[in-house]
Amino acid sequence: MNERRDSGNSGSSDIHATPSIQQPSCTSFFDEVAELRAAIQHEKQMRLKAEALPVISSDLQSEAADREAKLKNEIRKLRRRLMDVSRRHEALVNSRSWRMTAPYRSAGLMLKSLFRRNGGARYLAQNMEAGFKAKPVSEFARKAIPSGLKQALQCDVCIITNCRFPGGNASSTLDEVRTFSEAGLQVALVHCPLNGKIKPISERYATWLEHIVHIEDLSSIDCNLLIIRGPRVIMEESLKAIGPIVKSKRTAFVINNSAFRPDGALVFGWRELLDRVDSLPWENKAIHPLGPAIRHEVREEALSEAVSPHDWPPTFDAGAIPFIERGPMVMPFVIGRHGRDGHEKWLESSDELLKAYPSNPSVQVRIMGGAEKAERLLGVIPENWMVLPFGAQSVADFLQGLDAFVYFPHTGLNEAFGRTIVEAMFSGLPCILPRRFATTFGELAVYCEPSQVMGALERLASDDIKRKDFVRAVREQAFARYESASLFLRAPELPVKSEIPQPEPLNEELLRYKAWVEGV
């Protein structure tokens, strides 16, 4: 509707009159903002007059206070109306009922930014008077909103995932995009928000930002290989909606996290996920666990036959993490780990945590990624710990300063893989882990209890020759399994082929050495 209702009287200038606020009635978003801006300015003027009113008697003082309360109430109403405008604008974006242009989308985001970051209703009028001087909306935020322009994707490889988070999924996705692109293949990256929430794209995707397409902007997909990363993405209604417009020679559904949180809460249901995959009208499709830890969950659900016998582990650019042959291990031993500071990444017992990362002068502990959760548990960061923020150094530089990589997460965490562990193996570090990681990494790591970490370090330091032979053999195995080029071994439908030398398994001597370090 283009017809506008009569706006009526905007209110008397008399300080004793209660101003009447016009209900925004325009179909144009900018007209609504203009009406709100005028109403807020009016409220501001009335408040200033009320503050300037001389107090002659207690009755007048009481009357002035009453009027001030009414004005504040009107401000609250205006605030709610402004939020309604913002929500209606967002609903238009999500409903895709019409094509949103870039100026409209920018205005909506700027309005929300202005309101949320500049003191709400209190300072809204003066900020609007300054000409919408809100914090500029980043390109990462813009990419999280559908453009309204339909795109038909025709490529060799299409990857659909949630691009919001900067962690392991982003690392794996970016390595796949880089590897396929450097091989001369056409690659498309599709962002699929979770639960319809509009959250900015992670800055880790900066290099590929212009190549990201919002899932709601797709008109069709025609590719040789479609990779869908993440069980929550698979369960999204927006993915189901594109089912009829996808044409792919093969689709790989990658399950890259556990169905359960460390506290036992359900993240997704395996049977519901299988039903969703079955409902998608694509012929050649398969579900790939990220690794043995996820495959174990499938077996416990008695659903092993429903998934592919082949895992889809993360891949790594070995050139970014060079192998370094370290010198003798001497006290104080330098141990460490890197990764995000989630509560599930730390042992839940303070005693066990200090056994894994000892608080004594014979050990230096280096943490990159923050240790706020550990500090809450311990009460204070031990003096021999050095904590760096996430990204303070490159992973290669951080690992170069360690003698051993020690990682003991929450005992309830069924970690799908462990990217940081492989990075340490590539760097030439011995990895000391809980025994449950043996299902994923087999003979490539040292497994023990937290109380046994110090003994394992002392045994590693006691024989430099064997330690160097062991980490060199582990690096060769890790390279063959997880180097980026191994992607092409999983995708025979692609025109690029790759051959990776397969090293011999660790010999009996190295396996005996590993068992000795473990204290077996």
Side-chain angles (χ1 to χ4, degrees):
M1 291 177 60
N2 294 322
E3 184 180 354
R4 298 178 56 180
R5 295 191 298 271
D6 184 7
S7 59
N9 189 349
S10 62
S12 169
S13 62
D14 188 347
I15 186 63
H16 294 277
T18 300
S20 113
I21 307 300
Q22 298 178 15
Q23 174 67 34
S25 58
C26 310
T27 56
S28 165
F29 176 69
F30 285 113
D31 285 346
E32 284 191 304
V33 172
E35 287 190 47
L36 288 172
R37 179 178 175 183
I40 291 174
Q41 179 64 16
H42 179 79
E43 291 295 342
K44 181 182 177 183
Q45 292 172 354
M46 298 306 294
R47 187 173 66 252
L48 292 174
K49 288 182 181 181
E51 291 172 353
L53 184 68
V55 179
I56 300 174
S57 66
S58 60
D59 291 341
L60 284 178
Q61 186 176 11
S62 176
E63 185 178 351
D66 183 60
R67 287 196 299 273
E68 179 68 14
K70 290 181 179 179
L71 288 172
K72 288 182 178 179
N73 185 52
E74 294 298 340
I75 286 290
R76 284 194 291 271
K77 291 180 181 178
L78 253 173
R79 186 179 185 180
R80 287 195 295 270
R81 290 174 189 169
L82 182 61
M83 293 178 72
D84 287 342
V85 170
S86 178
R87 281 195 293 267
R88 289 200 299 274
H89 176 68
E90 186 173 297
L92 283 172
V93 174
N94 291 332
S95 67
R96 315 287 288 109
S97 59
W98 60 296
R99 290 192 172 189
M100 295 294 293
T101 62
Y104 269 75
R105 290 185 288 113
S106 298
L109 286 170
M110 287 180 69
L111 180 62
K112 292 170 72 175
S113 172
L114 181 69
F115 190 79
R116 293 173 179 173
R117 301 173 185 169
N118 292 277
R122 183 178 178 185
Y123 300 111
L124 190 55
Q126 65 191 53
N127 285 333
M128 283 187 169
E129 286 177 348
F132 277 101
K133 291 183 180 179
K135 184 177 179 179
V137 178
S138 72
E139 287 301 314
F140 300 99
R142 296 182 198 277
K143 277 293 183 179
I145 299 176
S147 69
L149 303 175
K150 290 292 187 180
Q151 298 186 48
L153 299 182
Q154 188 168 7
C155 52
D156 295 300
V157 181
C158 179
I159 303 174
I160 302 178
T161 191
N162 179 263
C163 301
R164 174 189 169 192
F165 300 103
N169 180 65
S171 298
S172 298
T173 300
L174 288 169
D175 191 73
E176 290 177 354
V177 172
R178 178 194 60 81
T179 302
F180 290 134
S181 297
E182 289 180 356
L185 301 177
Q186 294 293 318
V187 183
L189 181 55
V190 177
H191 171 55
C192 178
L194 300 178
N195 302 319
K197 293 181 179 179
I198 299 177
K199 300 292 184 180
I201 300 295
S202 169
E203 294 185 9
R204 293 197 60 191
Y205 291 91
T207 304
W208 304 96
L209 198 60
E210 293 304 315
H211 300 274
I212 295 177
V213 178
H214 196 286
I215 194 168
E216 294 183 23
D217 285 331
L218 295 173
S219 63
S220 65
I221 297 177
D222 188 350
C223 62
N224 291 323
L225 174 62
L226 175 62
I227 303 172
I228 302 176
R229 300 188 61 85
R232 295 175 66 191
V233 170
I234 296 170
M235 298 303 294
E236 277 296 314
E237 289 300 314
S238 56
L239 182 76
K240 181 180 179 180
I242 67 169
I245 63 172
V246 172
K247 180 182 178 182
S248 175
K249 291 182 179 179
R250 177 186 168 204
T251 302
F253 296 89
V254 181
I255 311 304
N256 56 6
N257 61 263
S258 170
F260 303 95
R261 302 189 191 282
D263 62 2
L266 190 68
V267 177
F268 67 92
W270 275 105
R271 295 184 184 278
E272 289 78 8
L273 184 139
L274 295 176
D275 290 342
R276 169 55 59 86
V277 171
D278 287 342
S279 71
L280 294 168
W282 310 331
E283 294 182 0
N284 189 10
K285 55 190 177 184
I287 297 173
H288 297 268
L290 196 70
I294 301 300
R295 188 173 295 280
H296 177 70
E297 282 189 9
V298 177
R299 284 198 298 269
E300 289 197 333
E301 295 284 338
L303 298 172
S304 297
E305 298 300 320
V307 302
S308 168
H310 305 292
D311 293 340
W312 197 284
T315 54
F316 303 77
D317 179 9
I321 310 175
F323 178 83
I324 300 170
E325 187 168 288
R326 291 158 175 81
M329 278 181 65
V330 296
M331 288 190 178
F333 304 132
V334 183
I335 66 173
R337 47 158 280 184
H338 68 95
R340 61 185 178 86
D341 185 28
H343 79 279
E344 73 278 8
K345 298 296 184 178
W346 298 95
L347 287 166
E348 62 273 28
S349 163
S350 58
D351 290 340
E352 292 296 290
L353 183 60
L354 288 177
K355 290 175 183 177
Y357 306 98
S359 176
N360 66 61
S362 61
V363 175
Q364 291 182 6
V365 179
R366 297 182 183 177
I367 308 293
M368 186 169 72
E372 181 181 334
K373 304 298 187 298
E375 184 176 9
R376 289 181 187 174
L377 184 64
L378 299 175
V380 64
I381 293 295
E383 291 185 2
N384 66 322
W385 285 29
M386 182 176 73
V387 180
L388 301 173
F390 186 86
Q393 294 179 276
S394 70
V395 171
D397 288 344
F398 174 76
L399 295 175
Q400 185 175 352
L402 304 182
D403 291 322
F405 186 85
V406 179
Y407 179 54
F408 282 79
H410 193 290
T411 57
L413 176 65
N414 182 30
E415 186 132 10
F417 188 74
R419 286 191 61 93
T420 59
I421 298 168
V422 175
E423 289 169 341
M425 292 174 180
F426 274 29
S427 178
L429 287 172
C431 296
I432 302 178
L433 310 171
R435 300 187 192 281
R436 65 182 185 274
F437 279 89
T439 59
T440 299
F441 297 112
E443 72 277 10
L444 304 187
V446 171
Y447 307 105
C448 66
E449 299 300 321
S451 60
Q452 299 172 312
V453 167
M454 196 66 208
L457 290 171
E458 292 171 349
R459 286 187 285 274
L460 283 168
S462 67
D463 192 333
D464 287 327
I465 295 176
K466 288 284 181 60
R467 174 175 53 83
K468 291 178 181 180
D469 289 344
F470 176 73
V471 297
R472 190 180 297 108
V474 166
R475 200 266 184 185
E476 292 176 357
Q477 291 287 337
F479 184 94
R481 298 181 192 182
Y482 309 121
E483 209 281 327
S484 301
S486 65
L487 280 170
F488 298 107
L489 301 178
R490 311 174 195 174
E493 56 280 312
L494 298 178
V496 179
K497 305 302 176 187
S498 176
E499 291 186 5
I500 298 179
Q502 296 299 313
E504 293 293 325
L506 270 65
N507 60 41
E508 289 297 324
E509 184 179 3
L510 290 178
L511 290 177
R512 283 195 298 270
Y513 168 76
K514 170 180 132 57
W516 173 73
V517 172
E518 294 172 340
V520 176

